[in-house]
Amino acid sequence: MKKLNIGMVGYGFMGRTHSNAFLKVANFFDLPYQPVLKALCARNAERAKAFAANWGYASVETDWRKLVVSPDIDLIDIASPNDTHMEIAVAAAKAGKMVMCEKPLGRNAAESEQMVQAVEEAGVLNSVWYNYRRVPAVTLAKHLVDDGRLGRIFHYRAKFLQDWTISSDLPQGGEGLWRLDVNVAGSGVTGDLLAHCIDTAMWLNGPIDEVSAMTETFIKSRKHNLTGKVEPVGIDDASAFLGRFRNGALATFEATRYARGHKALYTLEINGENASIMWDLHDLHRLQYFDHRDEGVLRGWRSIHISDRDHPYMSAWWVPGLQIGYEHTFIHQAADFLRAAGDGKSAAPSFREALQTDYVTDAVLQSAANRNWVKVGP
Amino acid sequence: MKKLNIGMVGYGFMGRTHSNAFLKVANFFDLPYQPVLKALCARNAERAKAFAANWGYASVETDWRKLVVSPDIDLIDIASPNDTHMEIAVAAAKAGKMVMCEKPLGRNAAESEQMVQAVEEAGVLNSVWYNYRRVPAVTLAKHLVDDGRLGRIFHYRAKFLQDWTISSDLPQGGEGLWRLDVNVAGSGVTGDLLAHCIDTAMWLNGPIDEVSAMTETFIKSRKHNLTGKVEPVGIDDASAFLGRFRNGALATFEATRYARGHKALYTLEINGENASIMWDLHDLHRLQYFDHRDEGVLRGWRSIHISDRDHPYMSAWWVPGLQIGYEHTFIHQAADFLRAAGDGKSAAPSFREALQTDYVTDAVLQSAANRNWVKVGP
Amino acid sequence: MKKLNIGMVGYGFMGRTHSNAFLKVANFFDLPYQPVLKALCARNAERAKAFAANWGYASVETDWRKLVVSPDIDLIDIASPNDTHMEIAVAAAKAGKMVMCEKPLGRNAAESEQMVQAVEEAGVLNSVWYNYRRVPAVTLAKHLVDDGRLGRIFHYRAKFLQDWTISSDLPQGGEGLWRLDVNVAGSGVTGDLLAHCIDTAMWLNGPIDEVSAMTETFIKSRKHNLTGKVEPVGIDDASAFLGRFRNGALATFEATRYARGHKALYTLEINGENASIMWDLHDLHRLQYFDHRDEGVLRGWRSIHISDRDHPYMSAWWVPGLQIGYEHTFIHQAADFLRAAGDGKSAAPSFREALQTDYVTDAVLQSAANRNWVKVGP
Amino acid sequence: MKKLNIGMVGYGFMGRTHSNAFLKVANFFDLPYQPVLKALCARNAERAKAFAANWGYASVETDWRKLVVSPDIDLIDIASPNDTHMEIAVAAAKAGKMVMCEKPLGRNAAESEQMVQAVEEAGVLNSVWYNYRRVPAVTLAKHLVDDGRLGRIFHYRAKFLQDWTISSDLPQGGEGLWRLDVNVAGSGVTGDLLAHCIDTAMWLNGPIDEVSAMTETFIKSRKHNLTGKVEPVGIDDASAFLGRFRNGALATFEATRYARGHKALYTLEINGENASIMWDLHDLHRLQYFDHRDEGVLRGWRSIHISDRDHPYMSAWWVPGLQIGYEHTFIHQAADFLRAAGDGKSAAPSFREALQTDYVTDAVLQSAANRNWVKVGP
């Protein structure tokens, strides 16, 4: 098994999920590559050292510009805040490294286009961590849709509901809070949460052609942790849109951080002529399935406990009935990336695929600003 | 449509459910008989009058001995406390009346045997209000079992959980509280709640041959409302048993009024070789069904919303998706009784069938007292 | 108790629910008026007679114009198709009758305005059967909102999902199918289903100021049962909108008859600063409630089984744990109407209140047609 | 951080869960010891090598007698079939090693007593992998009980339902199927599944004093994989008991491998005077909690999503809303063992504590055989 040396940028929430994925994946999956945690890169040297020690990184770097040109490194994995994605990805691609990037790709489609151009010109393998595609239940949904089980699709609806920013005492910006700083994040829930919903939706149901959107910032100003001053909030706290898929299905999407009682309730539902599917992240190990072709008096929503060996990814894990959790979605993506790399291919979603999501989020923000329907696209 | 004059005994909780059933049934079902609320009988004349006025009874009687011999009456419906069932039923049968009786039949099998003998000797139609058989979901379960969908049955488990008697301040006996007075009720939860579970179980899965039981009275003495004194509590607060059905299935049953958080949670589950069924009274309009013959990756418990026109009894009601409730089970039993009566037959469960449940509850109480396995039967 | 003579127009689905309500209400509620089923009016004399016989109407009429002027009648209840509402209501008001009308009020706000004007000029009691306000769980939600339990409201979302018109073989128009005929119904799901969502929403959360909507007709032509020809379908099969409430909350609404697996899934959710509420019609006897002020480690969505005596309307029914169903919402509205009438008042929603819903549905249809944001209002 | 060298015996299902636990625990928890996968021991050398390579064990051994005396090893972890537990544990203790043992301790209490004696005489740290205590939801339940939130306990019920042995084609004995061989396993579901229920129950609710049990072997003979012949089945396929806890609570327990539709449905419920708790393994990241002290109209079962930082063990993992799974329970136990070892203590349950569970399972089997109530104890 060849080794694949990983240079990780970032030690936050996503630095942890990615590190765990690469550390664990080979214990559970047969792979052409053995990932090696070679170097951890972050600005704060002390915290970087502690993180590297905890996860077993062989070395620490504080300047990503050095990391991306290091001959020891095969793959640059970008887990740092959104405002760093473009520069690092472009430089890594130019240095001929494989590049994985936490979602969203750039802060907007313009940045993302540069990233796509860079990896394609360099011809390097690339992928974006839209990890929810690899929830086994969601992957099974994809199989069902692709098999034509649902028939003509009429409706696709998705929501991503959280409640962690309701308090007006919460500051914006700085360590752990950059998702509230529009300059760093690019947008609020549109890029953070809605992007997940959109990526899964287009994977399952094809392109979205047009949207009419509404956004809201409920708390207009917050103390900024970097300046120490109360400043206007630039992000969207809530974002919703109506839209149309190319296949004629209607789209209803919503994301918010102001839905009291929901921590990370990403839900999706697809209604087809013959069958329907529902899934939610709070019980990610279940898929709800309704098939109208079932015998009349026995039709009902089936709650499928996705823990059998023939469910996607599940033969790698435990025995039927025993559930996996959130972190496994990253392990699955690492496995798929490494397998595809063995064949010289990029695992989906590539940068180019992920760019399509940014076109939708850009259209959502533009529609909300201009109060009109907006066509999605470059 | 012939009229069927009803003499109702009792104006408590069950007096209401029965009255409502006979008042409404002809609006929803095609019947050979039109039930007429002819006379209401209860000891307290004033309250009896008010009840009769509310429900439209044509007359009021305070002595059931007069009622049962009244030439105006075709059917005596016994909705009074358990200690009155035997005497009234025997007298009504002797007077040649049809007899319906609220469950349990007698306070024990010895009483019930006399009631069975009376109706059979008189040759009068008779039925016991084990109303949960007529929950559409439960009736559908019966159809599935009878069709052999489940295959060999391995397990039958049932529980009836309540929490209304936990407070030690609650008195025993007297108006509205006779269920806590062992002399009136015969037993506690065994005859009140477990009897329902047993009736449904034997209907769905055949006879129970033997039991090993445990009962408990958590609060040993309570003020008695009739004497005004604190007296020992004679009823069982909780009752559970293990048992074996004649078909080889294992039985696990439990009833209690000390399960905090459950108001009337009657649940049943049947596990067969090929399929399983679950139902609970708190969502009585749903049936849970699992079929192992479903395609492997799509196997799951189906939550069937029992509101389609082809579900049992449901063509009589509204449109799909709109649920019915508790009171409808009595209306269905009234409909079945009147239809069967049109054919000169007794609707199930007849007194004789209901007697089998009393044999089981007697065995449960005996087993709990003697701490041994007890064979069920006369 | 004074008698209140009812003249019912219509014998369809709603004719049944209203008749049942008036027939049953006095058995369960103390009322200043005793409703009397005096006359049933419908065009088809034979079917009208059968219906009248079944429900106990004293007489039958085939011309509503005669009914509304009959001195025997105190209250005209309009349960006929939407295209008849305005004419009958206006005539009944002019004749000085109390008027109750099935929802929606008119086929559009212009019709509804004439109906409002008529009842207000005549000074007659009036009410519209937006029955879902009287689901006890929904009424409890209203109490919680009015008590300020939720704090500032951020989000209100509602859906009404059905699947009964998916088959392209289903004809449009004619007996039992007039909801698919735009000339009779006025619109499709917007007036039929979304109107329910909007009525409840404005009752719970105040006025909606503006909307951006999308509608779709998935099956463009169907055989018309009256003409026998295949004709273009004029109704909307699906309708969704984004909007803003006057109190600043965001609105996301959707209704469809193309959501496979859902028969009548009306769901609503309100997210407030301190607490949130969810309810759905498929389990109408439950309310989901989350309170952030609960102790941290024990916070969770509470599934409240709305069957206790202190829950709205429930003291009239059975005992805790025993659920009621769909038809009871009409009984509750009848009770509220009769009680209010005893005080000389109209029970909510009055025609004027219901008109507000028509302003919203008109705005939805206009927005969908013109692809822009539309201000709600006359 | 001191290193702790682990000698693992067994490479089956439990060999995997334990290896994963020791490999990952230090990435998530601050520990006084760094576990090192030093040696893997199993009879089949080839498969042992492959397993060791996959998990990173430094060496491989095929004779556990050598392993337990190796000076390189600090801790012997026994993950091999039940019939090997006693001999290995006794030898390891005599060699002065810390000993961890997969549950159940021995095949019966007689074996377990010898194991207890060995570790206590040697004074070595010891613990049994009753992993379900470390499900965060179950640990939270323990906190609630210990805080007295539930008040007097009336009922404790538990079930462990599976369906994987229903087919009569399934052979008994041999690789992967030793749980069906009574000589290896000691018993069927009683020792395999019911033991889990009992361990948790006595941890949460104290000792069980007496039981009345019933067992069944539905399929009486199966082909044996080691002999190649059809042989009588010695294990119990299903096992249920009634019992009494020392604190007066009633016990109702059941385990089976013949409950179609359930893969690993371990459920428990505790009903106290003031509050109740429910949990199930198929949604292990949720706890159901009902508190009667909640405001009357808002009382309901709370579905608590156990993913907040202040939930037990959860500060080590991701962010609120993101669930963990089955394997984490082993990681938590490894963390607790290593922390306790840092203080020179054994993490619960020690061998002595686990022996109490064997006394109950022995009593269950004896009661079922003799059809009487049996006192629990040595």
Side-chain angles (χ1 to χ4, degrees):
Chain A
M1 189 159 51
K2 289 177 287 183
K3 298 202 166 179
L4 190 87
N5 289 332
I6 295 169
M8 177 75 62
V9 186
Y11 52 33
F13 175 24
M14 284 302 129
R16 293 180 82 221
T17 61
H18 296 198
S19 298
N20 182 60
F22 283 121
L23 197 56
K24 226 180 139 176
V25 64
N27 298 132
F28 293 92
F29 292 88
D30 282 330
L31 300 169
Y33 281 108
Q34 165 74 46
V36 177
L37 301 186
K38 197 69 178 180
L40 184 280
C41 176
R43 276 169 286 194
N44 182 318
E46 196 173 350
R47 296 184 55 182
K49 274 182 202 167
F51 186 91
N54 187 70
W55 290 97
Y57 282 92
S59 64
V60 171
E61 178 56 73
T62 55
D63 181 356
W64 62 261
R65 289 168 213 277
K66 290 187 187 161
L67 183 78
V68 298
V69 295
S70 164
D72 284 351
I73 298 295
D74 302 311
L75 163 66
I76 295 293
D77 185 2
I78 306 169
S80 44
N82 299 352
D83 60 338
T84 67
H85 289 191
M86 183 187 68
E87 263 195 309
I88 300 174
V90 169
K94 285 187 176 161
K97 310 300 187 191
M98 302 179 189
V99 193
M100 294 186 80
C101 186
E102 180 53 33
K103 54 63 57 182
L105 196 49
R107 282 174 295 183
N108 50 56
E111 285 192 352
S112 300
E113 285 171 343
Q114 296 179 61
M115 297 167 77
V116 170
Q117 187 180 1
V119 295
E120 295 190 347
E121 282 183 5
V124 296
L125 300 185
N126 57 91
S127 191
V128 180
W129 292 90
Y130 276 111
N131 62 303
Y132 293 122
R133 293 189 182 195
R134 266 78 180 194
V135 175
V138 176
T139 308
L140 178 58
K142 172 70 170 164
H143 296 172
L144 298 174
V145 170
D146 286 355
D147 287 353
R149 306 279 188 118
L150 277 62
R152 178 182 173 192
I153 306 297
F154 297 121
H155 290 283
Y156 190 107
R157 61 185 72 84
K159 294 194 301 270
F160 207 133
L161 307 183
Q162 299 188 332
D163 68 357
W164 65 282
T165 65
I166 291 180
S167 168
S168 58
D169 295 339
L170 191 73
Q172 60 174 314
E175 193 72 36
L177 291 170
W178 61 263
R179 283 177 180 80
L180 280 77
D181 184 336
V182 72
N183 294 320
V184 179
S187 69
V189 297
T190 303
D192 184 23
L193 307 180
L194 212 50
H196 273 302
C197 301
I198 294 164
D199 173 73
T200 317
M202 296 202 296
W203 185 52
L204 292 172
N205 198 41
I208 295 171
D209 280 346
E210 58 171 0
V211 301
S212 173
M214 159 179 79
T215 60
E216 182 62 77
T217 302
F218 289 113
I219 295 184
K220 308 293 189 194
S221 59
R222 291 180 183 276
K223 185 181 163 197
H224 199 298
N225 262 358
L226 297 183
T227 65
K229 293 186 212 157
V230 173
E231 297 185 5
V233 171
I235 60 160
D236 44 300
D237 288 337
S239 179
F241 72 89
L242 308 177
R244 290 175 191 272
F245 286 87
R246 190 158 302 162
N247 67 5
L250 302 188
T252 44
F253 283 71
E254 182 183 4
T256 182
R257 294 182 184 137
Y258 284 71
R260 184 58 82 197
H262 303 301
K263 301 173 196 172
L265 190 72
Y266 172 15
T267 65
L268 66 86
E269 176 169 358
I270 318 176
N271 300 134
E273 188 174 0
N274 300 321
S276 288
I277 282 171
M278 288 196 286
W279 171 81
D280 83 81
L281 179 56
H282 275 202
D283 297 287
L284 66 81
H285 59 298
R286 291 185 176 273
L287 187 71
Q288 308 290 329
Y289 178 72
F290 180 94
D291 197 321
H292 190 67
R293 291 157 301 197
D294 281 344
E295 183 181 352
V297 295
L298 293 177
R299 277 186 208 126
W301 282 88
R302 302 183 194 179
S303 182
I304 309 172
H305 198 270
I306 305 293
S307 62
D308 282 341
R309 294 196 190 287
D310 51 357
H311 286 138
Y313 300 105
M314 292 308 295
S315 63
W317 298 104
W318 313 106
V319 304
L322 302 179
Q323 72 194 62
I324 58 170
Y326 167 74
E327 71 204 63
H328 302 76
T329 61
F330 292 89
I331 300 173
H332 299 161
Q333 180 143 358
D336 286 346
F337 182 87
L338 295 167
R339 285 165 168 171
D343 298 331
K345 293 181 181 164
S346 292
S350 67
F351 278 26
R352 179 161 288 281
E353 284 176 274
L355 168 62
Q356 309 311 309
T357 291
D358 300 324
Y359 286 138
V360 181
T361 51
D362 272 16
V364 164
L365 294 169
Q366 183 190 330
S367 169
N370 297 345
R371 295 169 56 88
N372 58 1
W373 280 84
V374 172
K375 296 280 176 199
V376 173
Chain B
M1 190 161 48
K2 290 177 286 183
K3 299 204 166 177
L4 190 86
N5 289 331
I6 294 169
M8 178 75 62
V9 186
Y11 53 33
F13 175 24
M14 284 303 128
R16 294 180 82 222
T17 61
H18 296 197
S19 298
N20 183 59
F22 283 121
L23 198 55
K24 272 193 82 173
V25 64
N27 298 132
F28 294 93
F29 292 88
D30 280 332
L31 300 168
Y33 281 108
Q34 165 74 46
V36 176
L37 300 185
K38 197 69 179 182
L40 185 280
C41 175
R43 276 169 285 193
N44 182 318
E46 195 173 351
R47 296 185 54 183
K49 274 183 200 165
F51 186 92
N54 186 70
W55 289 97
Y57 282 92
S59 64
V60 171
E61 177 58 71
T62 56
D63 181 355
W64 62 261
R65 288 165 213 279
K66 291 187 186 159
L67 183 78
V68 299
V69 296
S70 164
D72 284 350
I73 299 296
D74 301 310
L75 163 67
I76 295 294
D77 184 1
I78 306 169
S80 44
N82 299 352
D83 61 337
T84 67
H85 289 190
M86 183 186 68
E87 265 196 310
I88 300 173
V90 169
K94 285 186 176 160
K97 309 300 188 193
M98 301 180 191
V99 193
M100 293 186 80
C101 186
E102 178 54 32
K103 52 65 56 182
L105 196 47
R107 281 175 296 184
N108 49 55
E111 286 193 352
S112 300
E113 284 171 343
Q114 296 179 61
M115 298 167 77
V116 171
Q117 189 181 0
V119 294
E120 294 189 347
E121 282 182 5
V124 296
L125 301 185
N126 57 92
S127 191
V128 181
W129 292 90
Y130 277 111
N131 62 304
Y132 294 122
R133 293 190 183 195
R134 267 77 181 194
V135 175
V138 176
T139 308
L140 178 57
K142 172 71 170 165
H143 296 172
L144 298 174
V145 170
D146 286 356
D147 287 354
R149 306 279 187 117
L150 277 63
R152 179 182 172 191
I153 307 296
F154 297 121
H155 291 282
Y156 191 106
R157 61 186 70 85
K159 293 193 303 269
F160 207 134
L161 308 183
Q162 299 187 331
D163 69 357
W164 64 283
T165 66
I166 290 180
S167 168
S168 58
D169 295 339
L170 191 74
Q172 61 175 313
E175 194 74 37
L177 292 170
W178 61 263
R179 284 175 180 81
L180 279 77
D181 184 335
V182 72
N183 294 320
V184 179
S187 68
V189 296
T190 303
D192 185 22
L193 306 181
L194 211 50
H196 274 302
C197 300
I198 294 165
D199 173 73
T200 318
M202 296 201 297
W203 186 51
L204 292 173
N205 198 40
I208 294 171
D209 279 347
E210 57 171 0
V211 300
S212 173
M214 160 179 77
T215 60
E216 182 63 78
T217 304
F218 289 112
I219 295 183
K220 309 294 187 191
S221 60
R222 292 179 181 276
K223 186 181 165 196
H224 199 300
N225 262 357
L226 297 184
T227 65
K229 293 185 212 154
V230 173
E231 297 185 6
V233 172
I235 60 159
D236 45 299
D237 289 337
S239 179
F241 73 88
L242 308 177
R244 291 176 191 273
F245 286 87
R246 191 157 301 161
N247 67 5
L250 301 189
T252 44
F253 283 70
E254 183 184 3
T256 183
R257 293 180 186 140
Y258 284 71
R260 184 58 82 197
H262 303 301
K263 301 173 194 172
L265 189 72
Y266 173 14
T267 64
L268 66 86
E269 176 168 358
I270 317 176
N271 300 134
E273 187 174 359
N274 300 320
S276 288
I277 283 171
M278 289 195 286
W279 171 80
D280 83 80
L281 178 55
H282 276 201
D283 297 288
L284 65 82
H285 59 298
R286 291 186 176 272
L287 187 72
Q288 308 291 328
Y289 178 70
F290 180 95
D291 198 321
H292 189 68
R293 291 157 301 196
D294 281 344
E295 183 182 352
V297 296
L298 293 176
R299 278 185 206 127
W301 282 88
R302 302 182 193 180
S303 182
I304 309 171
H305 199 269
I306 305 293
S307 61
D308 281 341
R309 293 196 190 285
D310 51 358
H311 286 139
Y313 299 105
M314 292 309 296
S315 64
W317 298 104
W318 313 107
V319 303
L322 302 179
Q323 71 194 62
I324 60 170
Y326 167 76
E327 72 203 63
H328 301 76
T329 62
F330 292 90
I331 300 172
H332 298 162
Q333 180 143 359
D336 287 345
F337 182 89
L338 295 166
R339 285 165 168 171
D343 298 331
K345 293 184 180 161
S346 292
S350 67
F351 278 26
R352 179 161 288 281
E353 284 175 275
L355 169 61
Q356 308 311 310
T357 291
D358 300 325
Y359 286 138
V360 181
T361 50
D362 273 16
V364 164
L365 294 170
Q366 183 190 330
S367 169
N370 299 345
R371 295 169 56 87
N372 58 1
W373 280 84
V374 171
K375 297 280 174 198
V376 172
Chain C
M1 190 161 47
K2 290 177 284 182
K3 297 201 168 180
L4 189 87
N5 290 333
I6 294 169
M8 177 75 62
V9 187
Y11 52 33
F13 173 25
M14 284 303 128
R16 293 180 82 222
T17 60
H18 296 197
S19 297
N20 183 61
F22 283 121
L23 197 56
K24 226 181 140 176
V25 63
N27 298 132
F28 293 92
F29 291 87
D30 282 331
L31 300 168
Y33 282 108
Q34 165 74 44
V36 176
L37 301 186
K38 198 69 179 182
L40 184 280
C41 176
R43 277 168 286 194
N44 182 318
E46 194 173 352
R47 296 186 54 183
K49 273 182 201 165
F51 186 91
N54 187 70
W55 289 97
Y57 282 92
S59 65
V60 171
E61 178 56 72
T62 56
D63 181 355
W64 64 261
R65 289 167 213 280
K66 290 188 185 160
L67 183 78
V68 298
V69 297
S70 163
D72 284 351
I73 298 296
D74 302 310
L75 162 66
I76 295 293
D77 184 3
I78 306 169
S80 44
N82 299 351
D83 61 338
T84 67
H85 289 191
M86 183 188 66
E87 265 197 309
I88 300 173
V90 169
K94 285 186 177 162
K97 309 300 188 193
M98 301 179 192
V99 193
M100 293 186 80
C101 186
E102 179 53 34
K103 52 65 56 184
L105 196 47
R107 281 175 295 183
N108 48 56
E111 285 192 352
S112 300
E113 284 172 343
Q114 296 180 60
M115 297 167 78
V116 171
Q117 188 180 1
V119 295
E120 294 189 348
E121 282 182 7
V124 296
L125 300 186
N126 57 90
S127 191
V128 181
W129 291 90
Y130 276 111
N131 62 302
Y132 293 123
R133 293 190 182 193
R134 267 78 181 193
V135 175
V138 177
T139 308
L140 178 58
K142 171 70 169 164
H143 296 173
L144 297 174
V145 170
D146 286 355
D147 287 353
R149 306 278 188 119
L150 277 63
R152 179 182 172 190
I153 307 297
F154 297 120
H155 291 283
Y156 191 107
R157 60 185 72 84
K159 294 193 301 270
F160 207 133
L161 308 182
Q162 299 187 332
D163 69 357
W164 65 282
T165 66
I166 291 181
S167 169
S168 57
D169 296 339
L170 191 74
Q172 60 174 313
E175 193 73 36
L177 291 170
W178 61 263
R179 284 177 180 78
L180 280 77
D181 184 335
V182 72
N183 294 320
V184 179
S187 68
V189 297
T190 302
D192 184 23
L193 306 180
L194 212 49
H196 273 302
C197 300
I198 294 164
D199 174 73
T200 317
M202 296 200 297
W203 185 50
L204 291 173
N205 198 40
I208 294 170
D209 280 345
E210 57 171 0
V211 301
S212 173
M214 160 179 78
T215 61
E216 181 63 78
T217 302
F218 289 111
I219 295 183
K220 310 292 190 194
S221 60
R222 293 180 180 275
K223 185 181 164 198
H224 199 298
N225 261 356
L226 298 184
T227 65
K229 293 186 211 155
V230 173
E231 296 186 4
V233 172
I235 60 160
D236 44 299
D237 288 338
S239 179
F241 73 87
L242 308 177
R244 291 176 191 273
F245 285 88
R246 190 158 302 162
N247 68 5
L250 302 188
T252 46
F253 283 71
E254 182 184 5
T256 182
R257 292 180 187 140
Y258 284 71
R260 184 57 84 196
H262 302 301
K263 301 171 193 172
L265 189 71
Y266 173 15
T267 64
L268 66 86
E269 176 168 356
I270 317 176
N271 301 133
E273 187 175 0
N274 300 320
S276 288
I277 282 170
M278 289 196 286
W279 172 81
D280 82 81
L281 178 56
H282 276 201
D283 298 288
L284 66 80
H285 59 297
R286 290 185 177 273
L287 187 71
Q288 308 290 328
Y289 178 71
F290 180 95
D291 198 319
H292 189 67
R293 290 157 301 196
D294 281 344
E295 184 182 352
V297 296
L298 293 176
R299 278 185 206 126
W301 282 86
R302 302 183 194 181
S303 181
I304 309 171
H305 199 269
I306 305 292
S307 61
D308 281 341
R309 294 196 189 286
D310 51 357
H311 286 139
Y313 300 105
M314 292 308 296
S315 63
W317 298 102
W318 313 106
V319 303
L322 303 178
Q323 71 194 63
I324 59 169
Y326 167 75
E327 72 204 62
H328 302 77
T329 61
F330 293 90
I331 300 172
H332 298 163
Q333 180 144 359
D336 287 344
F337 182 88
L338 295 166
R339 286 164 169 173
D343 297 332
K345 294 183 181 162
S346 292
S350 67
F351 278 25
R352 178 161 289 280
E353 284 176 275
L355 168 62
Q356 309 311 310
T357 291
D358 299 324
Y359 286 138
V360 180
T361 51
D362 273 16
V364 163
L365 294 169
Q366 183 190 330
S367 169
N370 298 345
R371 295 169 56 86
N372 57 2
W373 280 84
V374 172
K375 297 281 174 198
V376 172
Chain D
M1 190 161 47
K2 289 177 285 182
K3 299 201 167 178
L4 190 88
N5 289 332
I6 294 169
M8 178 76 62
V9 187
Y11 52 34
F13 174 24
M14 284 303 129
R16 293 180 82 221
T17 60
H18 296 198
S19 297
N20 183 60
F22 283 122
L23 198 56
K24 274 192 78 171
V25 64
N27 298 133
F28 292 93
F29 291 88
D30 282 330
L31 300 169
Y33 281 107
Q34 165 74 44
V36 176
L37 300 186
K38 197 69 178 183
L40 184 280
C41 175
R43 276 169 287 194
N44 183 318
E46 197 173 350
R47 297 186 53 183
K49 274 181 201 167
F51 186 91
N54 186 70
W55 289 97
Y57 282 92
S59 64
V60 171
E61 177 57 71
T62 57
D63 181 356
W64 62 261
R65 287 167 214 281
K66 290 186 186 159
L67 182 78
V68 297
V69 296
S70 163
D72 283 352
I73 299 296
D74 301 311
L75 163 66
I76 295 294
D77 185 2
I78 306 169
S80 44
N82 298 352
D83 60 339
T84 67
H85 289 190
M86 184 187 67
E87 263 196 308
I88 300 173
V90 170
K94 285 186 178 161
K97 310 300 189 192
M98 301 178 189
V99 193
M100 293 186 81
C101 185
E102 179 53 34
K103 53 65 55 185
L105 195 48
R107 282 175 295 184
N108 48 56
E111 285 193 352
S112 301
E113 284 171 344
Q114 296 180 59
M115 298 167 78
V116 170
Q117 189 180 0
V119 295
E120 294 190 347
E121 282 183 6
V124 297
L125 300 186
N126 58 90
S127 191
V128 181
W129 292 89
Y130 275 110
N131 62 303
Y132 293 122
R133 293 189 182 195
R134 267 79 181 194
V135 176
V138 176
T139 308
L140 178 58
K142 171 70 170 163
H143 296 174
L144 298 174
V145 170
D146 286 354
D147 287 355
R149 305 280 189 118
L150 277 63
R152 178 181 172 191
I153 306 298
F154 298 121
H155 291 283
Y156 190 106
R157 59 185 72 85
K159 294 193 303 266
F160 207 133
L161 308 182
Q162 300 187 331
D163 69 358
W164 65 283
T165 66
I166 291 180
S167 168
S168 58
D169 295 338
L170 190 73
Q172 60 174 313
E175 194 73 37
L177 291 170
W178 62 263
R179 283 177 181 79
L180 280 77
D181 184 336
V182 73
N183 294 320
V184 179
S187 69
V189 296
T190 303
D192 185 23
L193 307 180
L194 211 50
H196 273 303
C197 301
I198 294 165
D199 173 73
T200 318
M202 296 201 297
W203 185 52
L204 292 173
N205 199 40
I208 295 171
D209 280 345
E210 57 171 1
V211 300
S212 173
M214 160 179 78
T215 60
E216 181 64 80
T217 302
F218 289 111
I219 295 184
K220 309 293 189 193
S221 60
R222 292 180 182 274
K223 185 180 163 198
H224 199 297
N225 263 356
L226 297 184
T227 64
K229 295 186 209 154
V230 172
E231 296 185 6
V233 171
I235 60 159
D236 44 299
D237 289 338
S239 179
F241 73 88
L242 308 177
R244 289 175 192 274
F245 286 87
R246 191 157 301 162
N247 67 6
L250 302 187
T252 45
F253 283 71
E254 183 184 5
T256 182
R257 294 183 185 136
Y258 284 71
R260 186 57 85 195
H262 302 301
K263 301 173 194 172
L265 190 71
Y266 172 15
T267 64
L268 67 86
E269 176 168 357
I270 316 175
N271 299 134
E273 188 174 0
N274 300 320
S276 288
I277 282 171
M278 288 196 287
W279 171 81
D280 83 80
L281 178 56
H282 275 200
D283 298 287
L284 65 82
H285 59 298
R286 290 186 177 273
L287 187 71
Q288 309 290 330
Y289 178 72
F290 180 94
D291 198 320
H292 189 66
R293 291 157 300 197
D294 281 343
E295 183 181 352
V297 294
L298 293 176
R299 277 185 207 126
W301 282 87
R302 302 183 194 180
S303 182
I304 309 171
H305 199 270
I306 306 293
S307 61
D308 281 341
R309 293 194 192 287
D310 51 358
H311 286 137
Y313 299 105
M314 292 308 295
S315 62
W317 299 104
W318 314 106
V319 304
L322 302 179
Q323 71 194 64
I324 59 169
Y326 167 74
E327 71 204 65
H328 302 76
T329 62
F330 292 89
I331 300 173
H332 298 162
Q333 181 145 358
D336 287 345
F337 183 87
L338 295 167
R339 286 165 169 171
D343 297 332
K345 293 182 181 164
S346 292
S350 67
F351 278 25
R352 178 160 288 281
E353 284 176 273
L355 168 62
Q356 309 311 310
T357 291
D358 300 323
Y359 286 136
V360 180
T361 51
D362 272 17
V364 164
L365 294 169
Q366 184 190 328
S367 169
N370 298 345
R371 294 169 57 86
N372 58 2
W373 279 84
V374 172
K375 296 280 175 198
V376 172

